[in-house]
Amino acid sequence: MREVSGKSDDPWVHLTHVSSNSKTGPIPVSVTAESTCPPTCPLKGNGCYAEYSYARIAWNKVSSGERGASWEDFCAQIYDLPPMTLWRHNVSGDLPHTDGVIDRSKALTLAGANAGKLGFSYTHHEIDKNLETLQLLNLCGFTVSLSADNLEEADVFYDTGLPVVTVLPMDQMENTTTPAGRKVVVCPAVVRDDVTCASCGLCQVQTRSVIVGFPSHGTGKAKAQRVFNLVKELV
């Protein structure tokens, strides 16, 4: 095991080349050290699915350095993926940062490694601090969706012109709309057993006109539901 500093500017990342997850399907997926999660994320300790069960165990191993590779080596692994490979970054974790400001150099290195591939991810980092970097990542072809915590916040994020996903109530299994009338499509892999990320690819599309919704799920879904309700009151 390597020595881990615990600093968010020195993340450890693990790439699984063929995922066995029933929702993602058999695509490459990554897990990044917990230190990359923004300190302001309202789901930290409040229902984040990555903090429970098998996901928690796997995340701990990456965060401790027991499993995975350096950021540089991880980017080399992405560079070596076959052209047009659909892959998901950060089943757990977020983009490396310092005090909530995304490390642009590291992020753009990953975007460069993704050239010719179909990488996609999500971020809970604050938009006002990181909008320019997130715009650059998407311009480079690495799709990073802004993660909203309710429909009102999804409208605010949508106005940035970047792709958006949002948390939904745990019983929301039908498509809906935001207060501003934008269409929200419930993740097809959630509502259909015959769909996975591998067969869908919606979250990789940057120019999508819809917001993708994810009902609160996992062991902590009740906590996540409370976050949804609280943030809704604050927006």
Side-chain angles (χ1 to χ4, degrees), residues 42 124 147-159 164 166 179 231-232 235:
H124 249 112
S147 293
D149 296 306
N150 59 47
L151 298 178
E152 289 80 5
E153 191 173 61
D155 271 330
V156 174
F157 289 175
Y158 191 93
D159 287 336
V164 178
T166 186
V231 176
K232 181 177 180 180
V235 173

Side-chain angles (χ1 to χ4, degrees), residues 5 12 17 34 60 63 69 76 88 95 106 129 132 142-143 150 195-196 226:
S5 67
W12 209 236
H17 282 82
E34 189 172 0
N60 282 346
S63 298
R88 175 177 171 179
L95 294 168
K106 283 185 169 62
K129 292 182 179 180
E132 184 176 339
F142 181 54
T143 304
N150 59 47
V195 176
T196 65
R226 289 196 290 273

Side-chain angles (χ1 to χ4, degrees), residues 48-197:
C48 173
Y49 73 92
E51 296 178 343
Y52 296 88
S53 190
Y54 174 77
R56 172 81 270 181
I57 296 171
W59 205 14
N60 282 346
K61 289 183 177 180
V62 176
S63 298
S64 69
E66 180 181 346
R67 174 186 294 173
S70 67
W71 187 260
E72 181 179 356
D73 288 344
F74 165 66
C75 289
Q77 291 177 317
I78 298 305
Y79 180 85
D80 288 338
L81 291 176
M84 302 304 291
T85 296
L86 179 72
W87 69 282
R88 175 177 171 179
H89 183 44
N90 286 340
V91 173
S92 303
D94 208 305
L95 294 168
H97 69 95
T98 300
D99 297 327
V101 177
I102 295 171
D103 187 318
R104 184 176 297 184
S105 176
K106 283 185 169 62
L108 289 178
T109 298
L110 177 57
N114 177 69
K117 272 77 75 172
L118 303 175
F120 67 99
S121 190
Y122 316 90
T123 185
H124 249 112
H125 281 296
E126 290 184 303
I127 307 308
D128 57 348
K129 292 182 179 180
N130 297 291
L131 181 58
E132 184 176 339
T133 296
L134 293 168
Q135 289 172 330
L136 285 172
L137 293 177
N138 281 277
L139 282 172
C140 289
F142 181 54
T143 304
V144 182
S145 294
L146 310 182
S147 293
D149 296 306
N150 59 47
L151 298 178
E152 289 80 5
E153 191 173 61
D155 271 330
V156 174
F157 289 175
Y158 191 93
D159 287 336
T160 67
L162 294 176
V164 178
V165 300
T166 186
V167 175
L168 292 174
M170 55 186 167
D171 59 351
Q172 180 73 53
M173 294 297 167
E174 295 184 356
N175 296 345
T176 185
T177 57
T178 67
R182 279 110 181 199
K183 185 176 181 179
V184 180
V185 174
V186 179
C187 168
V190 171
V191 296
R192 291 179 53 183
D193 292 336
D194 61 339
V195 176
T196 65
C197 293

